[in-house]
Amino acid sequence: MPEDLGGDFSCGMAALRMADGNGYVKLYAYDPDRKACLLERLGKPISQLGYSVDKQLQIICQTLQETWKIPVNNTELAVGNTVWFEKFIGEAYEKLEHPCSDKVMELTYFYLKSRKADENKDEFVLVHGDAHNGNLLVTLPGDGFKLIDPDGLFYEKAYDLGVLMREWVEDYGQDPLKRGKQRCEYLHRMTGVSEQAIWEWGYIQTVSTAFVLLQIGQKDTGRKMLCVAENWVNDVSHK
């Protein structure tokens, strides 16, 4: 994958080496110069298996909880932070000629400051970084699931769960705020991760991913994500 879209190759390979096939696709060999790797063969992603959104969330969370336990050498991983988001969101907002309201931007920066303030490196784990339903594939025997394409981050668990808040925007229906809070609480119940941290990363991920999609031509999905963010900005209970 291109470095600007697929993450850092060396960090991704480091994550796969550490996992050694546990919860992540098995890495057999790789060439850092060519950015090529030989991986275990897997089946279809869960996005193609006909599962409900709740079932997909359950399977992804179960897999993540296992991978969060993997012993890590954090010197080989990228340490997560809010700096990239602050820079990218600000630049994209101007480049896209202000595609959302000022309130959305204000709350996004507020949540970025909150996540930075709450950082506790003693609780950092190996996080995937983009564990959506296209990156979790069934094993060939059909007896389990494994993640592919990790970013290779050493960061807080809520970062992974924030990705799940931005996905399946159609499932939020006519009441994105209510449905969003329900999903956030569901993720909290399944993982024990702070509901507030999940919500904040969910908001940040929704806005930043919308900006990415708008820039690469997937405007319909990008606008839907921003519509969700506009609805979520009214949730004073999470401020």
Side-chain angles (χ1 to χ4, degrees), residues 22 65-66 75 102 120 142 155 185 193:
N22 297 312
Q65 288 181 92
E66 290 304 311
T75 60
D102 290 343
N120 181 356
Y155 207 23
E185 194 272 336
V193 175

Side-chain angles (χ1 to χ4, degrees), residues 65-79:
Q65 288 181 92
E66 290 304 311
T67 61
W68 289 339
K69 298 175 185 176
I70 294 171
V72 302
N73 177 355
N74 59 25
T75 60
E76 295 185 68
L77 301 174
V79 179

Side-chain angles (χ1 to χ4, degrees), residues 42-113:
L42 298 173
K44 294 181 178 180
I46 62 169
S47 60
Q48 298 178 19
L49 299 181
Y51 294 143
S52 67
V53 172
D54 281 356
K55 181 64 174 178
Q56 292 181 66
L57 288 169
Q58 180 186 16
I59 294 171
I60 295 172
C61 284
Q62 287 173 344
T63 307
L64 284 173
Q65 288 181 92
E66 290 304 311
T67 61
W68 289 339
K69 298 175 185 176
I70 294 171
V72 302
N73 177 355
N74 59 25
T75 60
E76 295 185 68
L77 301 174
V79 179
N81 59 68
T82 60
V83 175
W84 181 88
F85 285 93
E86 292 170 355
K87 184 175 186 294
F88 170 76
I89 288 171
E91 292 177 352
Y93 180 69
E94 296 301 329
K95 185 176 181 179
L96 293 167
E97 298 181 345
H98 304 189
C100 61
S101 68
D102 290 343
K103 288 184 178 180
V104 167
M105 292 298 290
E106 290 169 5
L107 188 57
T108 302
Y109 285 125
F110 178 85
Y111 284 157
L112 282 168
K113 290 179 181 178

